[in-house]
Amino acid sequence: MKYLSCLLIVALCLGCKHAGEQKEVKLYTIEQLYNNKAISGAGFNADESQVLVSANTTGIFNIYAIAVSDTVMKPLTHSVKDSYFAVDYVPGTNNFLYSADQGGNENYHIYLQKQGSTAVKDITPWPNSTNNVAGWSDDKKYIYISSNKRNPKFFDIYKLDTANWAPTMFYQNDEGYEPGQISHSERYITLTKPITTNKNELYVYDLQSKTLKRLSNDHTASWNLQAFDTNDAALYYTTNDGNEFTYLVKYDLDKGSASKVYSTKWDVNGMDLSNHQKYHTIYINEDGKTKMLMFDHATGKQIDFPEIKDGEIESAVFSLSEKNVLLSVGSSRSPNNLYVYNFESKQLKPITRTLNPEINQDDLATAEVIRFKSFDGLEIPAIYYKPLNASKDHKVAAMLWIHGGPGGQSTPGFSYQIQFLVNHGYAVLEVNNRGSSGYGKTFKALDIKDHSNGDLKDCIWGKKWLQQQDYIDSAKIGIEGGSYGGCMVLGGLAFHPNEFKVGVDLFGVANWLRTLRSIPPYWEADRKALYDELGDPYTADSVHLKKISPLFHYQSINKPLLVFQGLNDVRVLPVESKEIVEGVKKNGVPVEYITYPNEGHGFTKKEDQIKTAKVTLAFLDKYLNKK
């Protein structure tokens, strides 16, 4: 789900492990933790000697090239204001594309720059539009761009010639579909239409015959296109039609028949095909952890990969020759690192080291999956970080951490702020409350029209699980979350004022009526689906929406509150945070309010992330775990 944004070892009982032990742990400053690099890879250059990446080395995301031979990282852009995110090299060249908005306003444009030059060309120079790359033509001479420049509500597909970057309309979207992938021959384009947050429709549009074919059915299920075969004989999609979890399907376009390709007891989140279809990858959401499998596409035989210690492969980008693949490897104790694997030499080579050398991984907590029973007996999964020095003789305070959504999921990836809190003596429990993704469609649907009720009670029963651990100070438990999770924080304090000792709200929804009425125009395709899940603010549903909006119940908030807000946020408007802060202050409750003028929905600048972590720790030390 796009709106409201939105880290594994199964432990049966964490509280009984090493209960009496206390380990000496080195404390790290937030500057040391943020001196790590956050990095993501985009692709290989023409001769596959270097890869294009985004990294926040300077405190803001810029574009870099990493030489595969010696792993030297060379800066290609030098932004000091807005984050730049790598898209790809222009095929056959060292010229590259990147994406950037302005101060977090989400009006993303695509920019072209030649390596070795500072000259930049906006190839989507259309005011008040948001633009995304939708792929390359089969001959790599054209790029497809999805843009809402013609109609702010709908995304069309434009085809740009890389010789002069002149756009021509490829597919005009007048029906409110979400355009997907374009087939290799350019005959077909896939389209989806959200119905609810748990149901959508999948179509294939034949641009030659101008006919639309529906691949989905009337069942409550999700359908998501993954890839076209190079000869356009078939396409692949994932669906959970008739099943709790999504599985991979191959659809024969000529015969009109579908066959299941891969399924497991977890969601199959995606599939990628290499350029000439020599390989394909399948991604599985296995209890919150991404598991990648690679196959020989022709035979369907799985390819064995070298083991990567303390890390899981989360994504793969194939080179055009299919000789190399760029892997992103994640861990709860280190930011993602990049590896290059050569299929011919069988060599796996790390090309980044993102963890600050001053930090010993053994001083950082390993995320673990736990489960607890909620108020109605439902089993709730959660990601748990236990301070290494916690014991029954050294009790610690704790924080619940609530993800965004609705429909998001906390996973055991690296989090600067969580590791900072845990390193400084706070246990952190990331609750995947009912309504979260990744645990089956029944679980995901349990919060529909029941927000701030069952899902919020799951958080309270997560608090009760923490209180049962003999190394947790049961009187010192707070709640923190962002976006929809921020709304859960405010709801926890307003609707259950005696449960949590403090709340930390990052750009959380305070007034559902206003938020649902202010959905940006380019989310028009998702608007009705959101209304179906949460309620339509223009109907009698408004009574319920007011009832679950913390702003109208601020008088009940009697615990210290810390609020963060980006002033360019278009998803949760700044007035949401401003008004809840003004209301709670009337209660005589300690309230701290931090705003960032050049941030949107989420903070991308290191200096703002550092300030957020520092202020949060100081707030918790003052009001939760007084020192």
Side-chain angles (χ1 to χ4, degrees), residues 347-364:
Q347 181 185 14
L348 179 68
K349 182 174 184 176
I351 61 170
T352 64
R353 189 185 187 284
T354 54
L355 188 65
N356 182 353
E358 296 177 13
I359 295 175
N360 182 349
Q361 272 195 335
D362 292 338
D363 291 324
L364 302 181

Side-chain angles (χ1 to χ4, degrees), residues 22 236 252 271 374 469 563 609:
Q22 182 177 340
Y236 297 85
D252 188 306
M271 173 224 189
S374 192
Q469 314 311 310
V563 178
Q609 295 169 347

Side-chain angles (χ1 to χ4, degrees), residues 399-418:
M399 292 293 292
L400 275 78
W401 193 290
I402 316 303
H403 62 66
Q409 182 186 22
S410 288
T411 62
F414 185 79
S415 168
Y416 297 94
Q417 190 165 358
I418 288 178

Side-chain angles (χ1 to χ4, degrees), residues 450-453 487 491 495 510 512 534 543-551 553:
D450 191 47
H451 302 284
S452 293
N453 182 32
C487 180
F495 305 132
W512 278 114
L534 288 153
V543 176
H544 173 70
L545 290 169
K546 185 174 182 180
K547 181 181 178 181
I548 66 170
S549 295
L551 180 63
H553 307 273

